[in-house]
Amino acid sequence: MSGTPGLSRRLGTMDAVVIGLGSMMGAGVFAAFTPAAQAAGSGLLIGLAVAAGVAYCNATSSAQLAATYPTSGGTYMYGRKLLGPWPGFLAGWGFVIGKTASSAAMAMTFAAYAAPPGWERPVAMAAVALLVAVNYRGITRTAALARIIVVTVLLALAIAVAAVWTGLGEGGAGLLSSEGLAGSGLLAHGWYGILQSAGLLFFAFAGYARIATLGEEVRDPRRTIPRAILISLAIAAAIYACLGITLLVALGPDGVAGTSAPLAAAVAAGSWGWAAPVVQVGAALASLGALLALIAGVGRTTMAMAREDDLPRWLSAVHPKFQVPHRAELALGVAVVVIIAVADLRGAIAFSSFGVLLYYLVANLAAFTQTGTDRRYPRFLQLLGAGACVLLVATLPVQAVMAGLAMFAVGALYRVIRQRTLHQHRTARG
């Protein structure tokens, strides 16, 4: 394997920050507040703070691990090196399977905003093909497109927020017209509702780990990856806090809970009617940004798993010219297109949430074992992050937990069969 081409370190700090933001500024930023408000009302602001705190604990673990092991695969590789093959496999399996389904959901979300009625599935498939082609041409092309998308989405969000606040005037429909933010019943839905909203909002933050999965393509990774993870998380948290307050002020908790597109509803209620299409364009581009980052991250985790024989070895190939895991990305593109063609994606991808939490649980446990110069953050942050992951799993709907357990059971059976087959082949050769 010594002559096999490898990945190239081409990304700087800003590139990594943009890819992280592109992952977090996905379509969820336009829709995640609705289920959070349904669970916690205005208490979603507390849920958002809890989610940001959990994300920070997990981010410090990912940053500490990525600085020590700057390789593709993220938590899959960290788990293998520090906890053993099985924890690593479960983290990688949860990420690849869950995020493949999320990729299909992002493509369909883009099509819901951008496609004419009846053309949603073909447009979603075309978006997947286009972004796989961009990723295929090299990581710098991915970063360049991500930069354009992130800047455009942030401009759309800024216009939307300005439109809402300008349109409020004296007739704000939300918290300003009732009891004010401080007395708006933040605890009215109880702590269970708040924790459930935290679980929902946490997944809007989860994209920062995409930076760690690109560990072999970042320059000066011991310095760049930790900085990029924490910078992108801080920016996303500030944006989400601004949006959460804006939506509650404009619509009130019942108004946010009662619409699937709260930001668009808040803008439509104001005097800047021309801004409504801006929100629609922003949501469509945000979906593309999240899909772009998902393809890059899942492709590299798939490659890492194939290198270790946890997935078919042919998926580990790196293109000799473009220096990307081209077979893994093409296989992912085919899988996502098939899911779009046959699946009903109107419901939530429940097991994706389960998989993400297990992924970060493994990251926290792996970081907890690090010692000496590898340790950058106190151990209590890893304990807090691991405990929070378990707590948030407990707040998921029973159907989500059952779907997640079924997904991991299938993965475990696959690995047992594959390892046994590989062992038999090696024994026969020996």
Side-chain angles (χ1 to χ4, degrees), residues 367-385:
F368 184 80
T369 68
Q370 291 182 284
T371 58
T373 56
D374 291 340
R375 173 154 297 283
R376 291 170 172 243
Y377 303 98
R379 275 194 167 92
F380 82 86
L381 287 176
Q382 287 106 58
L383 290 175
L384 193 59

Side-chain angles (χ1 to χ4, degrees), residues 35-59:
Q38 291 169 347
S42 56
L44 72 85
L45 293 178
I46 301 176
L48 182 64
V50 172
V54 175
Y56 175 77
C57 292
N58 295 338

Side-chain angles (χ1 to χ4, degrees), residues 211-226:
I211 300 166
T213 65
L214 308 177
E216 287 181 47
E217 294 158 282
V218 174
R219 297 192 299 268
D220 190 12
R222 288 186 65 88
R223 174 174 173 269
T224 298
I225 296 176

Side-chain angles (χ1 to χ4, degrees), residues 23 31 39 41 44-45 53 71 83 112 123 130 138 177 186 254 264-265 276 285 357-359 369 396 398 404 420 428:
S23 303
L44 72 85
L45 293 178
T71 185
L83 301 176
V123 169
L130 174 64
S177 62
L186 295 177
D254 292 339
L285 287 175
L357 283 167
L358 187 139
Y359 183 86
T369 68
L396 290 174
V398 174
R420 185 173 298 171

Side-chain angles (χ1 to χ4, degrees), residues 190-204:
W191 279 103
Y192 184 82
I194 288 172
L195 289 175
Q196 199 168 55
S197 74
L200 293 163
L201 291 167
F202 169 76
F203 302 111

Side-chain angles (χ1 to χ4, degrees), residues 277-350:
V278 175
V279 176
Q280 187 169 358
V281 171
L285 287 175
S287 305
L288 284 185
L291 177 59
L292 181 70
L294 281 167
I295 292 171
V298 175
R300 281 137 183 92
T301 302
T302 300
M303 178 194 69
M305 296 182 73
R307 284 174 173 173
E308 302 294 337
D309 285 320
D310 277 335
L311 288 175
R313 170 68 71 164
W314 63 271
L315 290 170
S316 67
V318 174
H319 195 283
K321 178 180 179 181
F322 300 122
Q323 297 178 310
V324 296
H326 57 298
R327 290 180 183 171
E329 290 186 347
L330 288 173
L332 171 65
V334 171
V336 174
V337 167
V338 169
I339 293 172
I340 291 170
V342 303
D344 181 1
L345 297 173
R346 288 175 296 182
I349 311 297

Side-chain angles (χ1 to χ4, degrees), residues 129-179:
L130 174 64
L131 295 188
V132 167
V134 171
N135 272 289
Y136 194 100
R137 297 283 294 180
I139 192 63
T140 53
R141 300 288 179 90
T142 302
L145 181 56
R147 189 178 298 113
I148 294 170
I149 290 174
V150 167
V151 169
T152 306
V153 170
L154 292 179
L155 283 173
L157 290 173
I159 291 171
V161 170
V164 172
W165 284 97
T166 301
L168 280 173
E170 297 180 357
L175 299 179
L176 290 183
S177 62
S178 54
E179 299 172 292

